[in-house]
Every structure is written in C-alpha cells, then in structure tokens.
Amino acid sequence: RRWAVAEDEHCQAVGAWLRNFVIAKDFCPWAKPAKKKDHIRIVSSTASVSEAVLGDLLDEAEALPLVASGETGETTTTLLVCPYVEEWKAFGPFRDFYEEDLEGGSTFLEDFDMKIVAFHPEYLKYGFSVAAGDRIAVANFDGTSSSATVLDEEGGVHPEDGEELLDVRFDNGEEFLIRYSSIITKLAMKDGQELPANDATGDAANLLSRAPRPTLHLLRMEDLEAASLAAKAKTGPDIQQV
C-alpha cells in the first residue's frame, strides 16, 4: 500500500480552497481559528484504488488524538485528498464509496469517535437550476473561484462524456462553455455585496461540499460536541444556522 503525502499540488489546491473560499467567505466559522492554531492537516493519498484510500484514512485516524490539548500546532482534524482514484473523477462512484464503504461517514465512530465528511468538485446532494441572466460562482482547478453571468443554459454537451454545458461570460469579459458541474452556486446581491444565493434549492449545501479534489475530512466528535455546547451557551456559532 502507498502512503499519504503532504504539500503536493493537490494539497495546495485544497488548501487554497480552504483559505480563499471557506475561511475568507466565513462559510465555516470554526475553520478560521483551527487554521490559525495550525490544527488542520491536509495530505494527499497516492492510492489509486478505494481499498488503499481506506488504509490511508485509517492511518490518519490513528494519528489524531483521542483527547486534544488545544495547543497550537496540534493536529486535531485531517483532510485526506484523493486525486488518484480514476473512477472518483465522477461524483457517483465517490458517493457510493462514501455511503457504502464509509457507512455515510460513520464507519470510524465506534473505534475512533470520528465522523467522516465528503467533499467533491461535482458534489450534488441538493439540486439547483440556472437560467440565462443568473450570476454564478464557478470553480477553478486551483481551488479558487470566478464569477460569471449565464448567457445560455443550453450550451450543448461535452464531447467526451455528454455532460451538459452552459455558455457563460466571466467578469473579465471572456466567454466560455463550462460544465454544469463546475458551478459552485448561484449568486445574489445582498446589502451591496454579491453573495451565495440563499434560496430553497440547497445551493449553499452543495457549495460547502465542493472542494477542488475528492476529499475525505476526519472530524473528531469531541470537537463537534464542544461546538454544540458552545452554541447552547451562546459562546460560539449556532450550529443549526451554520
């Protein structure tokens, strides 16, 4: 079995997404302090089959503390980037692995008291649709995002896999056909700022789960319970609102 590595291009892409998107736009209020105290580890699995990824995930779970000290530099949560499993380029097989092999993220609960959260560039649990004139955020390969206006929601299909395409104009004036799966979310103006649209279609949930690479996040239940207690005491963010 092959091992996980740090600081490769895939780690850097997910790190950029975490800094420039999740933290910068305050989508997860716990990410910023965790990043500031160097509690987040980002590594890439070099495995090309799901069974070996599971082994890397197990290694990373074993390396996390059962009880954290809270000191700066202590890793308390891990993002395992999985760029080399060919079939996981499509969301469906990755979702199947998560739901079946990882039991919907619960497979480490009994042995490690940890939850696993899945991220994917094409994550789509909560559907949404777009139309001409809609403003959208589009995922870039390097983990950043760009804003664009939809010109035509029926731009044809991709010749390689038949995925639907949209004709869009980016804010720099360039027009391109893009994959539907590259849309992070729709955008809307609020208080003079362009922010993710807050509607009933679940765009925000898709947005938060769309990392630039297939990624599995090991989350310690101790941290979740601490966040819940802080919310009840009104000393931390309200989990339900987040």
Side-chain angles (χ1 to χ4, degrees):
R1 189 170 57 79
R2 303 166 73 183
W3 294 275
V5 297
E7 300 302 327
D8 67 357
E9 62 178 305
H10 305 293
C11 292
Q12 291 168 6
V14 171
W17 166 76
L18 179 67
R19 292 190 308 274
N20 302 329
F21 193 69
V22 177
I23 293 176
K25 296 183 181 296
D26 201 28
F27 284 120
C28 176
W30 301 282
K32 185 175 182 178
K35 181 67 175 174
K36 186 175 182 180
K37 297 191 72 174
D38 198 21
H39 287 175
I40 303 172
R41 169 174 161 84
I42 304 176
V43 291
S44 287
S45 170
T46 56
S48 59
V49 295
S50 58
E51 293 83 358
V53 169
L54 187 55
D56 285 336
L57 193 64
L58 179 61
D59 288 346
E60 293 300 323
E62 290 175 337
L64 290 175
L66 292 176
V67 179
S69 67
E71 295 180 359
T72 298
E74 179 188 36
T75 299
T76 59
T77 190
T78 299
L79 292 165
L80 181 69
V81 188
C82 309
Y84 297 111
V85 180
E86 187 67 24
E87 63 178 359
W88 288 358
K89 289 182 179 179
F91 177 56
F94 179 72
R95 177 193 57 210
D96 292 343
F97 171 78
Y98 179 74
E99 294 295 339
E100 296 171 11
D101 296 72
L102 299 183
E103 301 176 20
S106 300
T107 194
F108 286 175
L109 271 178
E110 184 174 348
D111 291 336
F112 297 101
D113 201 29
M114 293 177 194
K115 189 79 175 172
I116 305 166
V117 179
F119 299 91
H120 192 279
E122 298 179 2
Y123 190 97
L124 189 61
K125 184 175 182 179
Y126 306 92
F128 63 88
S129 60
V130 296
D134 282 345
R135 291 283 293 165
I136 57 174
V138 180
N140 300 323
F141 189 76
D142 62 0
T144 61
S145 63
S146 300
S147 299
T149 301
V150 177
L151 301 178
D152 188 348
E153 69 273 23
E154 297 182 0
V157 296
H158 197 282
E160 293 182 1
D161 54 22
E163 182 178 352
E164 293 183 9
L165 302 175
L166 301 93
D167 186 12
V168 306
R169 179 186 293 119
F170 288 93
D171 288 355
N172 62 5
E174 295 182 328
E175 294 183 18
F176 288 99
L177 290 174
I178 65 167
R179 291 174 178 268
Y180 190 94
S181 60
S182 69
I183 302 173
I184 299 172
T185 189
K186 289 187 288 188
L187 299 170
M189 293 299 296
K190 182 178 180 181
D191 299 328
Q193 289 185 303
E194 197 168 50
L195 299 172
N198 184 18
D199 57 28
T201 64
D203 289 359
N206 288 325
L207 167 67
L208 287 174
S209 297
R210 285 189 171 182
R213 306 288 190 278
T215 301
L216 297 168
H217 181 195
L218 286 168
L219 194 57
R220 299 163 61 252
M221 292 303 296
E222 180 186 46
D223 294 331
L224 288 175
E225 290 162 3
S228 179
L229 289 173
K232 290 178 180 178
K234 301 188 182 303
T235 58
D238 187 326
I239 293 178
Q240 295 301 320
Q241 290 185 4
V242 174

